[in-house]
Structures are given as C-alpha cells and as structure tokens.
C-alpha cells in the first residue's frame, strides 16, 4: 500500500509540475478559417506545431477534429476565444481561406497591440483582402509550402 500511495503522490506531483510548466509558457494565438472556406488541417497542424516550439498555442484545437469537452454555445466560444486573444503575446493568422471570424480576431489583435503576422498561400488563386494587406500593424508574409510557412513563423516569433 505504501508503494502504491507513494506512486499516486508522485503522479499528482508530476501533473502539478506539468501544469505549472504549461502555464508558464508564452501564450500564442493562431487563427484560421474554421466554419468558412475549407482549410488544409494537416498544414495548419504543422504550422501550429512550429509555434508550439516557442510557447503554448491556445487555439491548437483548430487543426484537429477534437470535440469540445462540453457542448459550447456560440457566445461561450466567443468569450473563450476573446479571453485567449487578450492573453496572447502574439498572433499568427493563416488567411488564405476567407473567414469573417479571422478578420474579427485580427481587428482585436491590432486593438490589443499584439504583434501580428498574416500568412497567405501564393498559389491559392485568391487575393488577400485589401483591409488586411493594407493594415500597417500586420506583417504580411506569402508562402508556397508549409515548410516555408514554418520558417517564416519561426523567424517572426524569434524576432518578437
């Protein structure tokens, strides 16, 4: 019994250490189309993984088909995401797929004064919105491959 009790205490202690480490990581915010135009979740996941090298990506769930632990209303999603956006130290937005939500998040990222980079795929056959491309607050970067996007993300985060 003592051995078992000791093991449980060690697991609890380890979990507390991991939770503390996660909370001490730099909070980062990644946004991309979710309900709007279709996105390549594999590529988005790779971009998020690049960001995770530098901190905790608060929105990493957007790349994966992970159901919410509890059903959330649109209002609850809004409140959660706005809290995350306020907490973030920087924002990366993949804007190749048009999304009203991402545009909204970008406006608040600018209002909050967060360093913000916008990624747009060169060969998408689309154009980046003039409201986004023309905003002097945003660093606009065009990429061809996900590896190139990750390189751009790393340079942005390291410079910020």
């Amino acid at each position: 019994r003592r051995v078992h009790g000791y093991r449980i205490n060690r697991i609890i202690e380890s979990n507390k250490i991991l939770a503390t480490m996660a909370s001490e990581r730099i909070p980062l915010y990644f946004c991309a189309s979710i309900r709007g135009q279709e996105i390549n979740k594999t590529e988005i996941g790779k971009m998020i993984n690049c960001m995770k090298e530098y901190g905790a990506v608060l929105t990493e769930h957007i790349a994966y088909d992970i159901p919410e632990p509890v059903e959330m209303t649109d209002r609850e999603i809004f409140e959660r995401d706005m809290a995350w956006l306020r907490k973030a130290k920087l924002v990366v937005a993949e804007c190749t797929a048009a999304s009203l939500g991402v545009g909204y998040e970008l406006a608040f990222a600018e209002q909050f004064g967060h360093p913000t980079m916008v990624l747009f795929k060169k060969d998408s056959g689309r154009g980046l919105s003039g409201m986004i491309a023309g905003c002097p607050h945003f660093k606009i970067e065009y990429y061809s491959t996900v590896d190139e996007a990750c390189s751009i993300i790393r340079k942005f985060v390291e410079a910020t």
Side-chain angles (χ1 to χ4, degrees), residues 43 47 121-123 143-152:
E43 288 185 359
M47 292 178 204
K121 198 162 194 174
K122 288 178 189 175
D123 63 355
Y143 70 97
S144 296
T145 66
V146 71
D147 289 335
E148 183 182 4
C150 284
S151 176
I152 291 167

